[in-house]
Amino acid sequence: MADHEQKAVTADASSGDMIFQPILEDGVFRFDCPPSDRDATYPSLSFINSKDRETPIMSHKAPLYTPTFECLFEKQIVKIELPSGTSFYGTGEVSGQLERTGKRVFTWNTDAWGYGPGTTSLYQSHPWVIAVLPNGEALGVLADTTQRCEIDLRKESRIQFVAPSSYPVITFGPFPSPTAVLIALSHAIGSVFMPPKWSLGYQQCRWSYDSDKRVLEIARTFREKGIPCDVIWMDIDYMDGFRCFTFDKDRFPNPKSLVDDLHQNGFKAIWMLDPGIKHEEGYFVYDSGSKSDAWIQKADGSPFVGEVWPGPCVFPDFTQSKVRSWWASLVKDFTSNGVDGIWNDMNEPAVFKAVTKTMPQSNIHRGDDELGGCQNHSYYHNVYGMLMARSTYEGMKLSNENKRPFVLTRAGFIGSQRYAATWTGDNLSNWEHLHMSISMVLQLGLSGQPLSGPDIGGFAGNATPQLFGRWMGVSAMFPFCRGHSEINTIDHEPWSFGEECEEVCRLALKRRYRLLPHIYTLFFKAHTIGTPVAMPTFFADPKDPNLRKLENSFLLGPILVYASTMPGQGLDKLDCTLPKGIWLRFDFDDSHPDLPALYLQGGSVIPLGPPHQHVGESNPSDDLTLLVALDEHGKAEGFLFEDDGDGYEFTKGGYLLTHYVAELQSSVVTVRVSKTEGLWKRPKRRMHVQLLLGEGAMLDTWGMDGEVLQIMMPSEQEVYKLVSTSEKYYKTCLENAKRIPDIEEVSGQKGVDLSRTPIELNNGYWILKVVPWIGGRIISMMHLPSGMQWLHSRVDINGYEEYSGTEYRSAGCSEEYNVIERKLGHAGEEESIMLEGDIGGGLGLQRKIYIPKNDPKVFRIDSSIVARKVGAGSGGFSRLVCLRVHPTFGLLHPTESFVSFTSIDGSKNEVWPESGEQFYEGNLLPNGEWILIDKCLGLGLVNRFNVKEVFKCLIHWGTGTVNLELWSEDRPVSNQSPLRISHEYEVIEIPKL
Ligand code: MIG
């Protein structure tokens, strides 16, 4: 940087403490940078009432923590320093560990197919952090900007946001607990819409049930097999040529009658609507949208056309109220086909054949003034999905004021819970993703969105029986519970993985249905008060630092769910860490090693219903069960919310909220109604009280709901006996349960399943996951110091692979490796693995991957094609072969990534995504190294190689990916002349600005 530039920067820079104003309620503050006028900030899109952010309130409190700011290069950097021992959460829909310290994410809604634990931008944006202080109090911090925002939690006890100037920062608290922070947050951003009760049942989806016949067959099978289910989903293939608001004439000739059939059997139907509208004259949606000038524009004012499923598409500009009404009226008409819910996909928005995977940032949205007015796409990108969901929600509401809309959206922004539920996108069918799904659901809940869940069983790839069963077991306890799978995977229904898995799924879902009155009550509270539904375990005792990183368990209200996410390790081998206090295990006589354990917190009462097949089957006069766990003072309490399960009568008093209490006094436990609310009369029904004693033991009694019930507490000795008998019984149940066989374990010989289990190399700097599968894939390259996963893929596609041919996915694609040697050292020792594959014609592909002891920052790969038994007839030479190294790196910031190198002839090169595919040979070949640079992260991945071995280099930019390929020359090999390429990778820091 030249001197004069340096000066200009310094003069321009401003920094200091942010100034505050109390807003909303006691303990909530808005902070701004003093030199930038408060009024220069854009309107809030996160707040339910954006005026609340602009309106100061009277308060005598002053903030405890004041953020500092710095303005540099039109970026506003905000820092908050907190006491050491603070733990971070939130940041919305994020993969990886639950406790966020050490992590950095970027809010930029991205179609993140097959994401990994290190992916820094997924489908939704929540510029929001909850800091749990050492004393258990919590502070919430919102960077209220729609623009790309870096949330940097890499430094212990420090939050840093970086986003374009100017934006306000809102702090909530410190309040006494993280729950109190979430309640206060809901006053700002609104709470979750009240879900119809059926949407809390199990839902079955796949891409796609592609005919009405198949849909009905799936529905029938659920009923025949006695597996509860409420909803069947229609993915994109129901449409006529992917045109939204149409139905395929052959496969879905009469949607109305299909839905009637489904309804008759107690199922609801949900249909997909994408934002990409086929650019085709004569198609009614295109024509009417063009007439109302509804499309997002390019910088030159013409409609932007981008490719998605239907081919060339235009995109509704949901930032305009006029366009939202237009869309809502289409939705309204669509709903008359008996549509119960709508699924909004691809609304990041995702665009094919673009390296950024989305539309150009220079596109123009002519947004409403109250949203920020006319702006380019970078301003509205992160809220596009939320505004689409909002418009869809409004359309459903228009069609029937007396039904609650149900919308599921893939993209979202903090605040989108007002309109839609969400799921965690295109995950992978593996154990790591099963594990991550717990934290992801929890983080969304900590970021204002309580209604979420993963694709159960995993979207991409085929599940194994045990993985599927376990996933169902955990997910049956998640707020949103839906099985889904990608096109071309094997069947992923609960009965697709053998009878043991089917039984586990049946048990898991029956549990869920027994708990539905409880889950529904939690949602009523979430909707009316803003309390969370699924919470991390530490919520039970935020002061206890030992709970803050627990990822295998979570709370569903006062229920603690404890799951194993390790293959082969069932519940029987799990050591549960429970919060302090009383936690009493219970089950429905359904304990199984592949299902999670359930505990009820002392002091709670929860309502249970009978195990129905679907929500519509239940009615108010069903027997009610109360599960009671007394606290150390012999007391317990809890709620049951009941209403029509749909519609809005509940807002006019049409409901019954019952507060039950239990109390132990002189050896008698009395259970009674302490308070009720709402106009509904108490139904005449029997009530069963089950008093938990621990280890599954219980005492019970029957009576009528509304009356006082009593249970005699036996002597301590007797209680002890009951508990130990029950414990023994539980152990026998677990031992005798029919476990789900694990294919990965049982197939002892080499083969598909065995070789698909990754081998991990880990030296504290790099974690590499290698599968000796096609191409000898490295499926994950995680660099610990930067926290970045440079490459991640499925076992069967992409990642780092090597072929013995120049054609991509050629015959070479069948090159399967065996592990022939493996040294997994302890920290500081060399870690290595040798792989070998037979490529026919007497040739072998050999590869050694190792992390040298003296240089742990790099890892090396030596590969060669060697002659093993080359026939004498050919003079000891093989056919022509080429060794092709083919790594596919994931780009976290496709617009800010490029490849940099100096050629042999000394020329310097920067290769950006626009260049598509480029070969370099001869003097233009990189001189022994090239670097993949991510400007946004300030990091580069260096790839060094021996120029004598490399004949050609290829850069190929894909959709959010880049291949940096090394090709050997193309020649025959003999015993004396193998083909070889040795290369290594290292991560370096690149100065950021
Ligand atoms: O480009 O509609 O995440 O759930 O099945 C893929 C097909 C489009 C992505 C969604 C997935 C859905 C799929 N969609």
Side-chain angles (χ1 to χ4, degrees):
M1 193 181 293
D3 257 348
H4 65 277
E5 281 179 292
Q6 190 78 57
K7 268 188 213 117
V9 168
T10 329
D12 201 34
S14 56
S15 61
D17 283 350
M18 295 181 90
I19 49 165
F20 77 89
Q21 254 181 358
I23 57 166
L24 213 62
E25 65 197 32
D26 252 8
V28 179
F29 299 99
R30 168 184 173 149
F31 289 90
D32 289 276
C33 305
S36 65
D37 192 349
R38 256 176 68 95
D39 303 334
T41 58
Y42 293 112
S44 178
L45 275 89
S46 62
F47 274 50
I48 185 165
N49 178 1
S50 63
K51 289 216 181 64
D52 287 349
R53 203 193 68 182
E54 313 304 320
T55 319
I57 57 159
M58 288 292 295
S59 167
H60 302 295
K61 284 209 178 134
L64 212 56
Y65 299 100
T66 297
T68 60
F69 78 99
E70 201 179 337
C71 289
L72 267 183
F73 299 105
E74 286 164 19
K75 293 245 164 137
Q76 177 182 322
I77 305 165
V78 172
K79 291 192 179 84
I80 303 189
E81 303 277 351
L82 295 155
S84 133
T86 297
S87 316
F88 294 128
Y89 304 90
T91 70
E93 185 189 52
V94 288
S95 47
Q97 75 215 28
L98 175 72
E99 207 278 294
R100 304 303 294 159
T101 302
K103 286 286 183 181
R104 172 164 63 155
V105 299
F106 297 82
T107 62
W108 189 254
N109 293 359
T110 306
D111 177 357
W113 183 95
Y115 58 84
T119 308
T120 51
S121 296
L122 298 185
Y123 308 86
Q124 311 215 353
S125 292
H126 297 77
W128 160 256
V129 178
I130 295 189
V132 179
L133 307 175
N135 66 3
E137 291 182 5
L139 173 78
V141 188
L142 171 68
D144 201 17
T145 175
T146 60
Q147 307 206 53
R148 184 201 286 268
C149 176
E150 173 181 339
I151 310 171
D152 185 347
L153 305 174
R154 285 176 301 170
K155 209 172 142 213
E156 213 240 320
S157 304
R158 189 207 66 185
I159 303 172
Q160 178 174 293
F161 296 110
V162 184
S165 309
S166 299
Y167 59 92
V169 169
I170 321 292
T171 64
F172 299 78
F175 291 128
S177 67
T179 300
V181 170
L182 288 172
I183 293 172
L185 175 69
S186 78
H187 300 159
I189 65 163
S191 64
V192 64
F193 69 98
M194 184 66 193
K197 197 172 183 188
W198 57 261
S199 70
L200 300 178
Y202 176 66
Q203 328 212 4
Q204 187 61 49
C205 188
R206 91 155 283 135
W207 177 13
S208 296
Y209 294 128
D210 68 353
S211 70
D212 48 8
K213 280 179 211 66
R214 181 70 178 143
V215 170
L216 291 173
E217 182 184 333
I218 293 289
R220 207 169 35 242
T221 312
F222 271 102
R223 296 294 179 255
E224 277 165 14
K225 291 188 169 284
I227 300 173
C229 182
D230 263 272
V231 191
I232 312 277
W233 290 63
M234 266 54 70
D235 205 327
I236 42 174
D237 299 296
Y238 80 82
M239 298 177 198
D240 171 17
F242 305 117
R243 289 175 193 83
C244 287
F245 305 105
T246 69
F247 299 88
D248 184 280
K249 281 173 209 67
D250 299 323
R251 291 176 291 105
F252 288 87
N254 192 343
K256 185 94 180 45
S257 91
L258 167 63
V259 171
D260 285 346
D261 271 5
L262 287 174
H263 285 176
Q264 249 158 42
N265 292 303
F267 286 96
K268 305 284 182 193
I270 297 187
W271 307 73
M272 176 175 277
L273 288 177
D274 286 354
I277 297 300
K278 188 169 179 127
H279 183 267
E280 177 186 59
E281 265 167 46
Y283 162 41
F284 74 103
V285 182
Y286 176 76
D287 288 345
S288 81
S290 299
K291 214 163 114 202
S292 12
D293 191 16
W295 315 129
I296 296 174
Q297 297 180 337
K298 290 196 288 194
D300 68 9
S302 62
F304 165 75
V305 179
E307 184 122 351
V308 208
W309 288 108
C313 286
V314 288
F315 298 82
D317 187 355
F318 293 107
T319 67
Q320 305 175 43
S321 56
K322 170 188 98 180
V323 176
R324 287 196 302 277
S325 311
W326 165 77
W327 179 266
S329 71
L330 286 166
V331 168
K332 179 181 171 221
D333 295 346
F334 184 62
T335 309
S336 65
N337 295 298
V339 167
D340 298 296
I342 291 175
W343 177 13
N344 288 161
D345 188 25
M346 308 295 276
N347 51 351
E348 291 71 31
V351 178
F352 294 166
K353 299 186 184 167
V355 69
T356 62
K357 302 202 212 179
T358 191
M359 55 178 59
Q361 302 197 25
S362 55
N363 275 1
I364 303 294
H365 296 258
R366 292 159 287 161
D368 303 339
D369 284 344
E370 71 236 43
L371 301 185
C374 188
Q375 296 274 0
N376 67 16
H377 183 65
S378 60
Y379 176 86
Y380 283 121
H381 177 82
N382 286 336
V383 293
Y384 185 77
M386 173 168 82
L387 292 170
M388 177 184 189
R390 169 176 166 187
S391 171
T392 307
Y393 178 91
E394 284 163 356
M396 288 203 73
K397 201 141 186 199
L398 273 184
S399 75
N400 187 344
E401 279 288 332
N402 299 319
K403 265 177 96 179
R404 295 176 200 159
F406 184 83
V407 179
L408 180 78
T409 185
R410 190 169 76 176
F413 187 67
I414 187 161
S416 40
Q417 79 288 341
R418 305 191 287 261
Y419 317 109
T422 200
W423 87 105
T424 58
D426 296 345
N427 58 1
L428 306 181
S429 270
N430 65 34
W431 291 89
E432 181 177 48
H433 273 261
L434 159 61
H435 181 76
M436 287 200 305
S437 66
I438 301 178
S439 297
M440 293 182 74
V441 167
L442 297 178
Q443 296 293 17
L444 278 161
L446 292 175
S447 307
Q449 173 55 283
L451 190 48
S452 81
D455 284 348
I456 299 171
F459 178 71
N462 297 329
T464 62
Q466 199 183 91
L467 175 67
F468 192 87
R470 276 298 183 80
W471 214 325
M472 187 64 82
V474 185
S475 306
M477 299 293 112
F478 284 152
F480 175 66
C481 181
R482 185 187 74 154
H484 183 39
S485 190
E486 194 174 25
I487 197 165
N488 293 331
T489 58
I490 57 170
D491 282 354
H492 271 213
E493 287 75 36
W495 52 82
S496 310
F497 296 91
E499 53 177 319
E500 296 88 354
C501 178
E502 180 180 323
E503 179 60 8
V504 164
C505 293
R506 186 179 292 108
L507 293 173
L509 293 174
K510 283 192 162 171
R511 269 184 176 184
R512 179 177 185 88
Y513 278 67
R514 292 217 63 191
L515 286 167
L516 270 185
H518 169 63
I519 299 174
Y520 190 55
T521 303
L522 290 177
F523 270 100
F524 172 70
K525 296 219 154 182
H527 171 69
T528 49
I529 310 174
T531 43
V533 174
M535 303 161 272
T537 305
F538 76 82
F539 268 49
D541 186 0
K543 284 191 194 64
D544 184 350
N546 298 319
L547 304 178
R548 292 190 182 177
K549 290 187 199 297
L550 293 186
E551 296 183 345
N552 271 97
S553 58
F554 61 95
L555 298 163
L556 189 60
I559 299 175
L560 186 106
V561 180
Y562 217 115
S564 165
T565 52
M566 290 282 282
Q569 186 203 50
L571 190 57
D572 45 332
K573 293 193 203 128
L574 202 66
D575 222 357
C576 301
T577 310
L578 297 173
K580 288 185 205 103
I582 297 176
W583 294 89
L584 302 179
R585 197 179 56 70
F586 69 96
D587 59 24
F588 302 100
D589 211 1
D590 61 353
S591 282
H592 189 286
D594 289 314
L595 289 174
L598 306 175
Y599 296 83
L600 187 61
Q601 182 169 28
S604 345
V605 175
I606 57 163
L608 303 175
H612 289 300
Q613 295 289 301
H614 59 93
V615 167
E617 220 186 336
S618 67
N619 72 63
S621 57
D622 285 341
D623 290 351
L624 174 69
T625 302
L626 293 185
L627 209 55
V628 179
L630 298 175
D631 65 10
E632 64 273 29
H633 309 296
K635 290 191 174 161
E637 59 166 351
F639 291 90
L640 168 64
F641 172 75
E642 297 166 279
D643 73 345
D644 288 334
D646 206 339
Y648 294 94
E649 283 303 311
F650 79 99
T651 60
K652 300 170 211 145
Y655 67 96
L656 176 65
L657 179 67
T658 311
H659 183 202
Y660 292 97
V661 293
E663 193 172 0
L664 169 69
Q665 263 176 341
S666 40
S667 298
V668 178
V669 178
T670 310
V671 181
R672 61 188 173 83
V673 171
S674 92
K675 261 188 300 205
T676 58
E677 207 187 282
L679 302 173
W680 267 27
K681 274 231 193 80
R682 180 163 309 283
K684 263 207 168 24
R685 62 183 163 204
R686 299 200 306 162
M687 187 161 89
H688 187 195
V689 173
Q690 299 184 323
L691 178 70
L692 298 180
L693 301 173
E695 297 303 339
M698 55 172 92
L699 300 168
D700 73 331
T701 188
W702 283 87
M704 290 302 288
D705 183 22
E707 291 168 7
V708 175
L709 271 71
Q710 292 196 318
I711 299 181
M712 278 293 293
M713 203 57 162
S715 71
E716 251 178 62
Q717 216 182 352
E718 225 157 306
V719 169
Y720 176 81
K721 254 214 249 148
L722 285 170
V723 170
S724 57
T725 316
S726 173
E727 190 179 1
K728 273 190 216 121
Y729 174 68
Y730 174 64
K731 290 212 168 112
T732 350
C733 284
L734 290 187
E735 274 162 29
N736 298 341
K738 274 205 184 154
R739 305 203 54 156
I740 307 177
D742 199 344
I743 291 186
E744 286 156 325
E745 273 180 352
V746 292
S747 99
Q749 86 268 41
K750 160 200 157 318
V752 177
D753 299 299
L754 188 70
S755 62
R756 281 175 173 231
T757 309
I759 295 164
E760 200 175 273
L761 299 184
N762 180 349
N763 75 334
Y765 260 88
W766 283 102
I767 301 180
L768 306 179
K769 288 194 181 155
V770 185
V771 281
W773 182 238
I774 298 169
R777 233 162 273 278
I778 299 178
I779 58 167
S780 167
M781 270 172 59
M782 178 80 193
H783 180 250
L784 293 171
S786 65
M788 288 301 140
Q789 197 175 15
W790 290 91
L791 169 156
H792 62 86
S793 71
R794 294 159 40 173
V795 291
D796 51 346
I797 188 169
N798 291 332
Y800 175 103
E801 1 172 42
E802 274 173 7
Y803 300 124
S804 61
T806 55
E807 288 293 301
Y808 175 48
R809 314 233 92 205
S810 66
C813 212
S814 62
E815 282 148 19
E816 186 181 333
Y817 288 63
N818 294 313
V819 178
I820 53 170
E821 194 186 309
R822 182 174 156 182
K823 279 194 218 129
L824 301 181
H826 303 291
E829 284 173 32
E830 176 175 301
E831 299 245 323
S832 73
I833 179 170
M834 292 260 280
L835 306 168
E836 195 172 72
D838 183 350
I839 55 172
L843 296 177
L845 247 174
Q846 277 185 355
R847 165 158 2 132
K848 180 177 178 192
I849 306 169
Y850 59 109
I851 313 180
K853 185 179 169 181
N854 53 0
D855 197 0
K857 289 186 186 138
V858 307
F859 76 88
R860 298 211 173 109
I861 303 175
D862 297 341
S863 305
S864 37
I865 296 181
V866 295
R868 281 187 188 137
K869 280 188 247 130
V870 179
S874 55
F877 281 93
S878 74
R879 65 179 195 268
L880 278 180
V881 274
C882 169
L883 176 62
R884 181 175 178 189
V885 174
H886 184 279
T888 306
F889 299 106
L891 299 174
L892 297 172
H893 307 100
T895 49
E896 316 212 21
S897 300
F898 62 97
V899 178
S900 159
F901 62 90
T902 306
S903 294
I904 292 178
D905 70 3
S907 61
K908 297 216 182 313
N909 297 271
E910 275 194 7
V911 187
W912 291 81
E914 295 75 57
S915 62
E917 189 169 282
Q918 294 283 335
F919 273 106
Y920 301 90
E921 1 182 0
N923 270 345
L924 299 178
L925 199 72
N927 195 8
E929 80 171 39
W930 47 353
I931 312 180
L932 170 61
I933 293 180
D934 182 323
K935 278 198 355 183
C936 205
L937 297 173
L939 293 174
L941 178 69
V942 188
N943 174 207
R944 293 188 199 94
F945 55 87
N946 181 346
V947 279
K948 292 204 190 101
E949 295 168 347
V950 175
F951 193 68
K952 263 193 212 175
C953 284
L954 170 67
I955 300 180
H956 172 90
W957 298 93
T959 313
T961 60
V962 64
N963 295 350
L964 295 185
E965 298 188 20
L966 308 172
W967 296 31
S968 76
E969 63 186 312
D970 208 0
R971 63 162 167 82
V973 299
S974 69
N975 281 338
Q976 280 73 43
S977 60
L979 275 174
R980 186 171 280 149
I981 295 182
S982 303
H983 60 295
E984 65 179 33
Y985 294 99
E986 180 178 352
V987 174
I988 57 167
E989 288 206 27
I990 309 276
K992 238 186 150 180
L993 291 170

